[in-house]
Amino acid sequence: MTAPAKTYTLLDAAGRPYRSTTKGLWGGHRGSRIYGRLDCPTALLALARSTGYAHRRVFFTDEATAAAAGFRPCGACCKDRYRTWKTAQENGERWNP
């Protein structure tokens, strides 16, 4: 008998959770609506310091899904993406990763 496949909870483009057998490649924080790399030093520090942070952590299959769900790029681990997003916001433009 084989063990059941591990499943992960990810968010879709509308921000709704769903189950997947594929691990998310991007992490986010539901409260701040920021997404970034799974190895982001700022997120890892927050996870180490606060148990509350982990409860608000969400995951995405890709960057486009995170942006479509209304999350913005992290200024620490995605500096170039953040600057592009910020410029688009200042100019009243829609940003797409």
Side-chain angles (χ1 to χ4, degrees):
M1 187 185 244
T2 60
K6 180 158 176 64
T7 60
Y8 302 90
T9 302
L10 306 177
L11 293 188
D12 66 14
R16 295 179 304 245
Y18 71 96
R19 304 295 283 169
S20 174
T21 56
T22 304
K23 186 176 181 179
L25 299 177
W26 294 86
H29 186 264
R30 190 182 311 273
S32 63
R33 304 202 58 84
I34 296 172
Y35 76 89
R37 296 187 335 245
L38 296 179
D39 66 346
C40 175
T42 302
L44 294 175
L45 184 61
L47 283 166
R49 290 186 174 174
S50 168
T51 56
Y53 185 89
H55 294 292
R56 309 226 4 125
R57 189 94 161 123
V58 295
F59 299 93
F60 302 96
T61 57
D62 55 45
E63 189 175 10
T65 303
F71 286 68
R72 71 155 175 89
C74 174
C77 69
C78 301
K79 289 180 175 133
D80 290 342
R81 290 173 180 92
Y82 173 77
R83 281 193 290 269
T84 303
W85 170 85
K86 183 76 172 163
T87 299
Q89 292 294 304
E90 290 169 350
N91 294 329
E93 299 168 353
R94 182 170 168 81
W95 176 78
N96 291 310

